[in-house]
Amino acid sequence: MIRSTFAGFTTAQLAMAASQRALDVTGQNIANINTTGYTKQRLDIASLNNKGGEFYNSNNSCKVGYGVEMTGISQLRDPFLDVQYRNQMSKLGTTDAIAAGYEQLSTIFDEASMDGVRAALRDISSALQKYSEEPGAKEIDTTVRSNMQILLNLFHDNAKRLQDITDEMTSGFKNNDVSDVNQMLENIAELNKSIKNSQVLGNPALELQDQRNDLLDQLSSYLPITVKYEQQEVAPGQSLEVPSVYFTGSDGKTYPLISDTKCGSLTADITGSPVRLGITGADGNGPYDITDTLGSGTLKGTLDIINQSGVFDQSDINGLGYYENSLNSLVKTFAEKFNELNQSVKVKPDGTVEYDQNGKPVMEERPLFEKIDPNADFSASNIKIADGWLNGDYGITISNKIVDDKPAGSTDTSNILNMINALTDSQKFESNGVNFFNGSFYDCFASMENTLAIDLKSAKTTLSNQISVLNQTASSRDSISGVQLDEEGMDLMHYNQSYTAAARLMTTLDEALDTLINKTGVVGR
């Protein structure tokens, strides 16, 4: 069969149209080179050929295609790199939340540039030393009490700031983090609906897909997600690609977060300790407790800081509980030690020392510290100067030395020296049955500072490494999905040349047709 005379014009016209549309797509890419979340687009084309057999087909017939067909406009994305990027975002979210928590704690336990607990302990030691040199100067007892009150004020302030950080992080976890995740889930489900409606009408809705991908990237920083794309039939012979988002816990259980246009939700219970996180799936099932099965993400890091207590609960993270227990143990040991040291031998009316049935001196309680709430234990927030000491009923016990069954004279200051030594002697610090430090009071607080410094440095180092890996993954992804100005410039020249060539083809065909019509059969002219 002889090819249609005008078929070549169709080929040239389709080539020009394809080149023109490719230039439009390239212009769209260049216009959005700085648009956050934009994915490079490309024109999808295919060779247009006649389909089926020809009635007049013969052995010497050579079939030629009819040009190019524009099949659509698509985005350039690598699903594997998307998975890598989102996995890394989840890991980064964990470390970032932990580092942020330690940053807040450093305002309490970092005394490198200010006078705090350690300075107050030194002042107490100095005042006691002066009292030992002048035991008859009762005003020095008042100085010691004032220095003790300064130390207690610091304990109270640290306890309040520690509680403020706990309340702030707990409230932020529920009202910010969990709320943001739920809003993202709703937005993604709504975008799924809009994208599906657009695609049914023949619009690929690529810009809406960019918004959805950006939200999925953000969501992956909060908790680990898996995105699966499935074909869904929307009409006979017509199917669309619909994403489903899942969360898989460390125990292997999977929960659907988004299914087509339906979404699940997260709930936070901050009424008790520890703080709990629940999930209700897109299928309506739940809520399920996933507090202990979060593998990574900002939610995981925040929960670790809020809930975990390091050696005190055999966990991996020295969270708020670790520093709270450590500080309370320091206060408890300090109060009990000095209350014990301030006991005084009991003296009978005749001035002699009273002994018990075992021949040991009977000791009278003269506590320097009391509990604000008598039903609770000593802690940084539950300690005060004892009323008896504050009211002047008694003071610091200067000596408990016995000479000839009578208290030693006022010149003996051995008990004050015992107090001075107690500040530097090694003590055993325990909390919840766990011995976490042996050393002086000064060294115990310094140990908390050092532990926090190590935790913060470790978190920042890990965060820096993870950012480097994330940037490498982002660069690999951008090399495919991002708009590169050099590439777009080359495409402009390429499609311009192809458009020119297609126009030249049409000119050539026009000249050939002119020869056929106007010059064929004109012999002898």
Side-chain angles (χ1 to χ4, degrees):
M1 177 182 178
I2 299 177
R3 180 178 172 87
S4 170
T5 302
F6 297 98
F9 287 100
T10 301
T11 301
Q13 184 271 329
L14 292 176
M16 293 174 67
S19 297
Q20 177 63 57
R21 186 56 58 87
L23 286 171
D24 293 339
V25 172
T26 303
Q28 174 73 356
N29 289 338
I30 294 174
N32 289 277
I33 192 170
N34 295 317
T35 302
T36 302
Y38 180 80
T39 302
K40 181 178 179 178
Q41 299 177 7
R42 70 176 178 191
L43 178 67
D44 296 325
I45 56 177
S47 176
L48 181 62
N49 209 327
N50 44 354
K51 302 175 182 178
E54 288 187 7
F55 182 76
Y56 295 104
N57 194 21
S58 61
N59 291 333
N60 59 357
S61 175
C62 295
K63 294 184 180 180
V64 179
Y66 285 87
V68 64
E69 178 182 12
M70 292 180 287
T71 60
I73 300 175
S74 62
Q75 295 176 323
L76 292 176
R77 297 191 72 92
D78 187 334
F80 176 72
L81 290 176
D82 280 340
V83 171
Q84 277 192 324
Y85 181 84
R86 288 165 185 165
N87 288 343
Q88 195 60 37
M89 281 287 289
S90 184
K91 296 177 183 178
L92 183 66
T94 306
T95 309
D96 186 49
I98 292 174
Y102 289 147
E103 286 279 7
Q104 294 188 61
L105 285 171
S106 64
T107 62
I108 301 176
F109 295 99
D110 184 3
E111 296 186 349
S113 59
M114 61 181 181
D115 290 336
V117 172
R118 291 185 295 169
L121 289 171
R122 287 194 294 266
D123 291 342
I124 291 171
S125 179
S126 298
L128 287 172
Q129 184 65 43
K130 187 175 182 181
Y131 197 18
S132 70
E133 297 169 357
E134 302 179 52
K138 297 299 182 182
E139 66 274 9
I140 302 181
D141 181 276
T142 303
T143 301
V144 174
R145 187 174 67 240
S146 298
N147 288 334
M148 289 288 192
Q149 185 62 62
I150 291 173
L151 178 63
L152 298 194
N153 290 342
L154 289 171
F155 286 148
H156 293 162
D157 182 61
N158 288 347
K160 183 179 183 304
R161 288 196 288 167
L162 190 57
Q163 186 60 50
D164 288 343
I165 290 174
T166 302
D167 293 341
E168 180 183 341
M169 293 187 68
T170 302
S171 175
F173 177 75
K174 178 179 180 180
N175 299 325
N176 296 333
D177 294 343
V178 173
S179 178
D180 288 347
V181 170
N182 288 335
Q183 187 62 56
M184 288 180 198
L185 294 176
E186 293 177 5
N187 291 343
I188 293 172
E190 187 64 30
L191 281 171
N192 284 347
K193 181 178 179 180
S194 299
I195 291 171
K196 178 189 288 187
N197 292 338
S198 295
Q199 289 177 339
V200 168
L201 298 175
N203 180 4
L206 300 182
E207 283 69 24
L208 294 179
Q209 291 186 43
D210 284 338
Q211 294 181 34
R212 182 175 65 189
N213 285 321
D214 186 51
L215 284 174
L216 289 172
D217 289 345
Q218 294 179 43
L219 181 63
S220 67
S221 69
Y222 286 88
L223 74 169
I225 60 172
T226 302
V227 183
K228 296 181 180 179
Y229 292 88
E230 302 168 346
Q231 292 294 328
Q232 182 182 89
E233 187 174 359
V234 294
Q238 184 181 9
S239 60
L240 301 175
E241 194 176 58
V242 178
S244 296
V245 181
Y246 300 90
F247 161 72
T248 301
S250 57
D251 58 355
K253 293 183 179 179
T254 299
Y255 308 89
L257 286 171
I258 298 175
S259 180
D260 195 6
T261 59
K262 298 179 181 178
C263 69
S265 62
L266 301 181
T267 53
D269 181 7
I270 62 174
T271 56
S273 180
V275 173
R276 312 300 300 182
L277 179 65
I279 184 172
T280 300
D283 53 7
N285 295 327
Y288 304 102
D289 192 328
I290 60 171
T291 307
D292 301 323
T293 60
L294 272 173
S296 58
T298 300
L299 299 180
K300 162 73 172 174
T302 305
L303 282 176
D304 284 349
I305 286 291
I306 295 174
N307 291 338
Q308 295 192 15
S309 302
V311 296
F312 298 114
D313 62 359
Q314 305 303 312
S315 58
D316 299 328
I317 302 297
N318 293 328
L320 297 173
Y322 173 84
Y323 294 96
E324 181 180 6
N325 287 332
S326 298
L327 182 61
N328 288 338
S329 176
L330 170 63
V331 173
K332 180 175 182 293
T333 305
F334 181 83
E336 291 177 348
K337 184 64 177 179
F338 275 81
N339 281 352
E340 177 187 351
L341 288 173
N342 206 56
Q343 293 180 106
S344 176
V345 293
K346 188 174 183 180
V347 180
K348 294 187 292 187
D350 60 2
T352 60
V353 176
E354 181 178 343
Y355 295 90
D356 61 17
Q357 58 185 5
N358 297 320
K360 295 182 178 181
V362 176
M363 307 300 292
E364 287 185 322
E365 297 292 336
R366 302 175 65 184
L368 298 179
F369 306 103
E370 291 177 343
K371 304 168 185 175
I372 298 174
D373 179 3
N375 298 320
D377 210 343
F378 276 117
S379 67
S381 61
N382 191 40
I383 185 173
K384 67 175 184 177
I385 299 293
D387 292 337
W389 189 23
L390 189 63
N391 297 332
D393 297 338
Y394 55 82
I396 293 177
T397 300
I398 298 175
S399 173
N400 277 320
K401 190 174 182 179
I402 301 173
V403 178
D404 297 330
D405 287 341
K406 292 184 179 180
S410 59
T411 57
D412 181 77
T413 59
S414 57
N415 197 58
I416 297 179
L417 295 177
N418 289 337
M419 290 184 177
I420 295 173
N421 292 333
L423 289 170
T424 57
D425 287 345
S426 180
Q427 310 290 337
K428 186 177 182 180
F429 297 92
E430 294 182 337
S431 181
N432 298 328
V434 177
N435 178 22
F436 71 95
F437 184 77
N438 292 322
S440 67
F441 297 109
Y442 184 95
D443 291 338
C444 181
F445 192 85
S447 174
M448 285 184 259
E449 286 185 297
N450 293 335
T451 300
L452 178 59
I454 293 171
D455 287 339
L456 180 56
K457 183 176 181 180
S458 176
K460 285 186 173 181
T461 301
T462 302
L463 184 64
S464 178
N465 292 337
Q466 289 176 342
I467 290 175
S468 297
V469 175
L470 181 67
N471 288 337
Q472 292 175 3
T473 306
S475 296
S476 298
R477 192 170 74 159
D478 288 343
S479 67
I480 296 175
S481 302
V483 179
Q484 308 296 329
L485 192 58
D486 291 341
E487 292 181 4
E488 301 305 321
M490 293 174 62
D491 286 343
L492 284 177
M493 292 187 293
H494 172 74
Y495 294 128
N496 181 53
Q497 290 175 352
S498 66
Y499 186 91
T500 302
R504 182 58 182 168
L505 171 61
M506 183 169 288
T507 301
T508 302
L509 292 173
D510 180 64
E511 291 176 356
L513 188 60
D514 178 67
T515 300
L516 176 64
I517 296 175
N518 298 319
K519 298 180 181 179
T520 301
V522 184
V523 181
R525 289 187 183 179

